[in-house]
Amino acid sequence: MKPTATDKTDKPAHFIRKIIADDVAAGLAEVRTRFPPEPNGYLHIGHAKSICLNFSMAEEFGGKCNLRFDDTNPEKEEDEFIEAIKRDVEWLGFKWDGEVRFASDYFDQLYEWAVYLIKQGKAYVCHLSAEETREYRGTLTEPGKDSPYRNRSVDENLALFEQMRRGELPEGTCVLRAKIDMAAPNINLRDPTMYRIRHATHHQTGDKWKIYPTYDYAHGQSDAIEGITHSICTLEFEDHRPLYEWFLNNLPVPSKPRQYEFARLNLTYTVLSKRKLKQLVDEKYVTGWDDPRMPTLSGLRRRGYTPASIRAFCEMIGVTRSPGMVDIGLLEFAIRDDLDKHAPRAMCVLSPLKVTITNYDENVVEYFTAPLHPQKPEMGTRELPFCREIYIDRKDFREVPEKDFKRLVLGQEVRLRNAYVIRANEVVRDEKGEIVELKCTYDPETRGKNPPDGRKVKGVIHWVSARHCLDVEVRLYDRLFTVEAPEEDKTKSFLEFINPNSLVVLEHCKAEPSLANATPEIRYQFEREGYFCADSKDSKPGQLVFNRTVSLRDSYGK
RNA sequence: UGGGGCGUCGCCAAGUGGUAAGGCAGCGGGUUUUGAUCCCGCCAUUCGGAGGUUCGAAUCCUUCCGCCCCAGCCA
């Protein structure tokens, strides 16, 4: 088989890779990157892009990648998210260097450095209210003006900051600000907040702190402490880079990391912002963060996506600074490509129609040995029982066929996959006229070979033995939204574009008996239908529930 | 309208002065007991527009246009 997405080894030359390669060529001893999520939600496919980038750059250049939780805001963060994030990173197949780190590990050092800046006359305690601060900051087109507290003495600032630290001041009373330039064209430089008062219990540090550093004050210094060489983040932090560098240049930090930005991932027919995903969960549009329709890693995992397919996808989309919208079809290609090569085949009839083979002995059961993979005999085989009564899919039968229909037609023949050729002779209806059964005959000369008289049978359909099959539930998923860009229309909420048919539950589907051993880890191809796996939450032995990961590519009817 | 970015095929994306890679999608054909897979072929005389420099430009210069991000004591 030719090499495809999941096992190709050639690396595209994106700009981050080039920057690092140049640094290494120039003598950089060890590359160190980091993946720094805030533990305030679950990871999604957009985070996978960042994870793959950070970990693979470290790996490729013989360096290390840290996992650091950016936990500077105790109000939004939870332990549950920390555990979920660790699980997702590991699931993707990456190993972070050493222990998990937390920005909160550095709160003592960060505090000392804040005192240092105060002593240098480069930070001050400001008593402007949040609203006043906004007014003093100016606008995009007008410069800001200095806070009346900007020129407090070092001693006064020191005393006030100490009071803040001790928790003697209520939330919102004041903040610590860096003294930079209120007229800077870059708003991030207009005396940004470094510390705010929060009388909250922190998931890592408990009640030790009453003041918490902001992202801007904590991030670069945390990178410096960890010896990060390349601090890779998304484009919206581009404007923060001068501030990131300002802190590093004005503090006695142990190293000088450099920040580089790339475009975050946008995917068609979904949303990729934590806020909106949280809303889908909180307002019960989905069953949870791991709902198989969610673009979260836990949702994709439950849906049946493999880590390899997600890594291949991230490799295919590239890394650039131009913000784009990737077609979700590419993600679907990635999982089909992986699963086609690795998934064992099975037969499952989604919409059963009973077929009686009238010339087949009622007391006989035959077993056919079928390969688990048509191109990979080494994967082994499974046994398919065959008897007088079987099920086929209603979609595979027509009394009067449309043009190009090559399945079972009344009066004509079709091949039963891995079994005999049958001919449909009679349709049985119920009192309402609904077709409830087909009476067919089989050709005993067609087991494992074509009809000896040379007649051609064009179609092949799947089937299961009615006496031996399993009754299972199958869940079909479709795109969560009906439009490519649900966030594009600023006059409407993305919720208005939710696809009402994103989940279709099929009960009493008929699966071949070998599927009795299905577990969520085994992804199957249900031949002629798609890729499926047992649901990790709702499937139980004897009561199987399958999720459709993705359908097979289908050129019929296009 | 201040600052920072980005514009190469329907989508993603190489290319950084020498005459437009690749993937996805699409289209045609072949193989096939999955209308799957696989295989073969087609798919940008043109790089947001207009000028200019040059023997030569997607790549350099000028100018215009479009899109994205920033005014949290969020990250």
Side-chain angles (χ1 to χ4, degrees):
Chain A
M1 245 176 284
K2 75 161 192 183
T4 39
T6 42
D7 48 37
K8 71 175 176 189
T9 50
D10 52 304
K11 304 290 186 192
H14 63 245
F15 76 103
I16 300 274
R17 179 175 277 116
K18 271 180 215 157
I19 287 168
I20 299 179
D22 286 350
D23 289 343
V24 169
L28 175 64
E30 187 183 60
V31 172
R32 190 173 284 269
T33 55
R34 101 269 91 117
F35 173 60
E38 181 186 16
N40 66 346
Y42 279 63
L43 260 26
H44 55 66
I45 184 75
H47 292 106
K49 179 179 181 182
S50 171
I51 293 169
C52 290
L53 214 210
N54 278 292
F55 280 93
S56 64
M57 286 305 93
E59 196 174 303
E60 224 176 289
F61 291 97
K64 303 277 170 50
C65 182
N66 294 353
L67 172 61
R68 179 174 77 233
F69 286 98
D70 221 333
D71 57 345
T72 56
N73 186 355
E75 294 175 325
K76 294 184 173 179
E77 301 160 5
E78 290 173 32
D79 273 323
E80 179 201 347
F81 298 131
I82 291 175
E83 293 313 310
I85 289 168
K86 283 154 65 176
R87 193 164 60 235
D88 287 344
V89 173
E90 284 175 330
W91 177 73
L92 274 180
F94 296 108
K95 179 93 186 71
W96 52 86
D97 182 61
E99 296 297 306
V100 168
R101 338 256 169 148
F102 294 88
S104 55
D105 293 342
Y106 316 130
F107 280 177
D108 285 308
Q109 176 64 266
L110 259 13
Y111 177 80
E112 276 178 42
W113 281 337
V115 170
Y116 176 92
L117 281 180
I118 292 172
K119 288 180 177 166
Q120 298 281 307
K122 291 174 179 165
Y124 63 98
V125 172
C126 178
H127 277 73
L128 249 26
S129 69
E131 201 175 315
E132 290 165 331
T133 303
R134 196 184 323 124
E135 285 159 14
Y136 274 74
R137 188 157 32 231
T139 68
L140 293 178
T141 52
E142 301 159 306
K145 55 186 184 201
D146 289 359
S147 160
Y149 306 101
R150 200 172 199 261
N151 295 313
R152 293 220 251 226
S153 70
V154 168
D155 286 344
E156 189 184 1
N157 281 137
L158 250 16
L160 254 13
F161 190 46
E162 176 63 10
Q163 271 193 297
M164 285 170 65
R165 201 207 95 225
R166 286 208 204 109
E168 291 167 10
L169 273 15
E171 288 188 14
T173 311
C174 55
V175 295
L176 183 72
R177 293 227 255 170
K179 193 187 289 184
I180 305 181
D181 179 6
M182 287 308 291
N186 179 343
I187 291 181
N188 294 115
L189 263 16
R190 319 239 264 229
D191 289 10
T193 299
M194 294 166 58
Y195 273 93
R196 65 299 206 186
I197 300 168
R198 286 286 180 279
H199 292 201
T201 299
H202 188 281
H203 50 94
Q204 299 301 312
T205 60
D207 295 320
K208 177 177 177 183
W209 294 92
K210 302 299 176 198
I211 54 173
Y212 290 92
T214 57
Y215 162 87
D216 282 312
Y217 180 61
H219 203 91
Q221 284 67 266
S222 298
D223 283 341
I225 291 168
E226 294 182 6
I228 301 301
T229 53
H230 302 264
S231 182
I232 304 167
C233 62
T234 45
L235 247 24
E236 63 271 27
F237 292 104
E238 210 171 356
D239 293 339
H240 295 241
R241 193 171 61 227
L243 179 55
Y244 180 98
E245 288 169 349
W246 188 90
F247 283 123
L248 295 179
N249 290 334
N250 284 282
L251 252 12
V253 290
S255 78
K256 286 277 175 65
R258 299 265 273 142
Q259 175 181 305
Y260 299 96
E261 310 87 16
F262 69 97
R264 70 185 314 143
L265 173 67
N266 291 304
L267 256 193
T268 56
Y269 297 101
T270 192
V271 294
L272 245 33
S273 89
K274 265 190 207 168
R275 204 203 104 237
K276 292 192 172 97
L277 293 175
K278 186 176 190 309
Q279 197 177 351
L280 290 172
V281 173
D282 291 346
E283 297 175 18
K284 311 275 192 236
Y285 289 98
V286 295
T287 57
W289 288 96
D290 66 348
D291 186 297
R293 292 165 293 181
M294 290 283 273
T296 50
L297 294 180
S298 49
L300 291 166
R301 175 167 61 232
R302 188 170 167 196
R303 173 92 169 242
Y305 274 79
T306 58
S309 69
I310 290 171
R311 281 190 259 110
F313 170 74
C314 291
E315 201 67 52
M316 286 187 282
I317 59 176
V319 179
T320 68
R321 289 173 64 84
S322 65
M325 175 83 79
V326 175
D327 189 332
I328 199 161
L330 196 59
L331 219 208
E332 296 173 348
F333 165 78
I335 187 60
R336 283 193 188 107
D337 189 51
D338 186 20
L339 260 21
D340 174 61
K341 293 206 289 298
H342 305 294
R345 313 286 129 125
M347 293 196 285
C348 181
V349 174
L350 269 27
S351 177
L353 173 60
K354 191 172 183 187
V355 170
T356 301
I357 301 165
T358 54
N359 62 338
Y360 196 88
D361 189 331
E362 187 173 0
N363 301 307
V364 171
V365 174
E366 273 185 280
Y367 285 86
F368 301 119
T369 301
L372 287 172
H373 192 292
Q375 278 87 234
K376 292 186 168 184
E378 68 275 17
M379 281 177 68
T381 59
R382 86 272 193 190
E383 298 297 302
L384 297 171
F386 181 84
C387 65
R388 194 169 196 264
E389 299 86 31
I390 62 171
Y391 287 114
I392 66 168
D393 198 291
R394 305 194 90 93
K395 293 196 301 293
D396 290 336
F397 174 73
R398 292 283 188 287
E399 287 180 274
V400 183
E402 59 264 37
K403 189 176 177 295
D404 296 331
F405 186 81
K406 42 187 254 191
R407 305 174 192 177
L408 185 59
V409 173
L410 187 60
Q412 296 179 32
E413 289 183 310
V414 79
R415 157 77 61 183
L416 292 179
R417 169 128 251 237
N418 297 305
Y420 298 107
V421 167
I422 58 168
R423 177 185 300 276
N425 301 308
E426 186 188 339
V427 167
V428 181
R429 296 170 193 278
D430 62 12
E431 57 285 355
K432 286 180 291 198
E434 193 87 352
I435 298 175
V436 292
E437 185 186 341
L438 256 31
K439 296 215 186 287
C440 298
T441 47
Y442 84 112
D443 179 348
E445 298 301 312
T446 55
R447 175 172 175 171
K449 55 179 190 274
N450 287 323
D453 63 7
R455 65 186 199 281
K456 290 288 174 207
V457 178
K458 54 186 171 187
V460 179
I461 63 173
H462 56 107
W463 57 277
V464 294
S465 160
R467 285 186 216 161
H468 307 267
C469 67
L470 275 16
D471 198 87
V472 304
E473 176 180 324
V474 172
R475 297 175 182 170
L476 304 180
Y477 301 102
D478 195 1
R479 305 174 160 160
L480 234 195
F481 294 91
T482 56
V483 296
E484 278 200 346
E487 298 163 284
E488 196 179 49
D489 188 337
K490 302 299 178 200
T491 67
K492 289 182 180 167
S493 161
F494 71 107
L495 296 170
E496 291 185 43
F497 301 109
I498 286 192
N499 177 5
N501 304 313
S502 60
L503 169 63
V504 172
V505 177
L506 266 25
E507 300 195 62
H508 307 301
C509 300
K510 308 297 183 186
E512 68 168 74
S514 73
L515 252 12
N517 303 317
T519 62
E521 293 71 38
I522 311 175
R523 286 89 169 181
Y524 294 93
Q525 183 195 96
F526 288 177
E527 288 185 298
R528 303 211 309 127
E529 289 291 353
Y531 296 96
F532 296 77
C533 68
D535 186 75
S536 56
K537 278 195 169 159
D538 302 333
S539 188
K540 296 174 185 61
Q543 253 188 290
L544 297 170
V545 177
F546 288 98
N547 293 322
R548 183 176 70 190
T549 308
V550 68
S551 66
L552 247 35
R553 195 160 161 268
D554 183 11
S555 58
Y556 176 59
K558 278 190 178 174

